[in-house]
Amino acid sequence: MDSIIAALLDDAFTNNDALGQRDVTPRIIIDHILVNVDKELNNPANIEPMRNLNHYIEAQIYGDISLKEDAEILVADPSFKGTEVGEFLEKISQQYSIELYWHMGYELSVKDVPSDFRGPSMPSLARRIAPGDIINASIIGQAAKDLSIDPISWSDRGTYKEVVQELKLLWHVLVKYGKPNSIT
């Protein structure tokens, strides 16, 4: 946790922002932590997620992780509700007494996918993967699963690594332009 707090404070000191928030100082971060550290998490289903694509802290964990000992809360995209992934998330949450929250998430109509953000191939990729002309995190995830199972069927779009990158960029498009998810 020390490394994460250090990175937050460094961002605030160096850039005057942190985690996508502008005009953030180290003092503001410290005050925020002191005031909110013991507060219960607000249900993220009622809060529109931030569209932060460029300012975040990546935490890498080296060693074993125990869901029973190391996790208290799991926040998931609502597009996974009712899917195999969603059922798995619910199962492990119950099994390990982890509180499961569904955040608001995003969805985007294929016709609204721009060609001038993250590359001109985004509209055609969205059309390819969207069965109902809507993309969301689950649909992008299903496309990534399909790619890993049958990469040859995606070879018209490039190599495995290139298509994985395209799917990641399409997720960026979803986060930037998507509307709050209508799944409740």
Side-chain angles (χ1 to χ4, degrees):
M1 198 62 185
D2 292 347
S3 298
I4 294 171
I5 292 172
L8 274 171
L9 294 173
D10 183 58
D11 272 353
F13 183 77
T14 306
N15 304 320
N16 208 36
D17 67 27
L19 298 175
Q21 299 291 318
R22 296 185 191 281
D23 300 320
V24 175
T25 64
R27 178 81 250 164
I28 289 171
I29 289 186
I30 291 168
D31 289 344
H32 177 77
I33 291 169
L34 291 173
V35 168
N36 293 299
V37 73
D38 290 328
K39 284 187 178 176
E40 204 170 303
L41 177 70
N42 290 331
N43 186 342
N46 302 321
I47 304 166
E48 185 171 339
M50 293 180 59
R51 297 177 189 269
N52 182 2
L53 293 171
N54 300 316
H55 303 283
Y56 59 88
I57 295 171
E58 180 177 317
Q60 297 179 3
I61 300 169
Y62 300 95
D64 295 338
I65 302 240
S66 164
L67 291 176
K68 183 177 182 178
E69 301 296 323
D70 299 324
E72 296 176 13
I73 296 170
L74 173 61
V75 181
D77 192 285
S79 65
F80 290 104
K81 284 183 180 181
T83 68
E84 185 179 335
V85 170
E87 290 168 8
F88 177 75
L89 296 174
E90 289 172 356
K91 181 180 175 184
I92 64 169
S93 293
Q94 290 173 354
Q95 181 178 348
Y96 294 102
S97 299
I98 300 170
E99 198 164 349
L100 175 61
Y101 289 96
W102 299 98
H103 66 72
M104 192 174 288
Y106 295 117
E107 60 185 9
L108 181 63
S109 172
V110 170
K111 68 178 177 49
D112 294 330
V113 173
S115 61
D116 61 350
F117 181 75
R118 300 300 198 241
S121 66
M122 295 298 100
S124 67
L125 180 59
R127 282 190 301 275
R128 178 171 181 162
I129 69 169
D133 292 327
I134 296 288
I135 60 168
N136 59 35
S138 178
I139 289 168
I140 295 171
Q142 184 60 51
K145 179 181 175 184
D146 293 344
L147 170 65
S148 70
I149 292 169
D150 186 11
I152 299 299
S153 69
W154 290 84
S155 61
D156 60 305
R157 295 201 73 89
T159 67
Y160 176 85
K161 285 178 78 172
E162 290 168 337
V163 179
V164 166
Q165 179 67 14
E166 266 196 322
L167 289 167
K168 180 182 93 172
L169 295 175
L170 186 59
W171 179 79
H172 289 183
V173 171
L174 174 65
V175 170
K176 182 165 177 71
Y177 295 101
K179 306 291 185 252
N181 204 317
S182 63
I183 299 170
T184 55

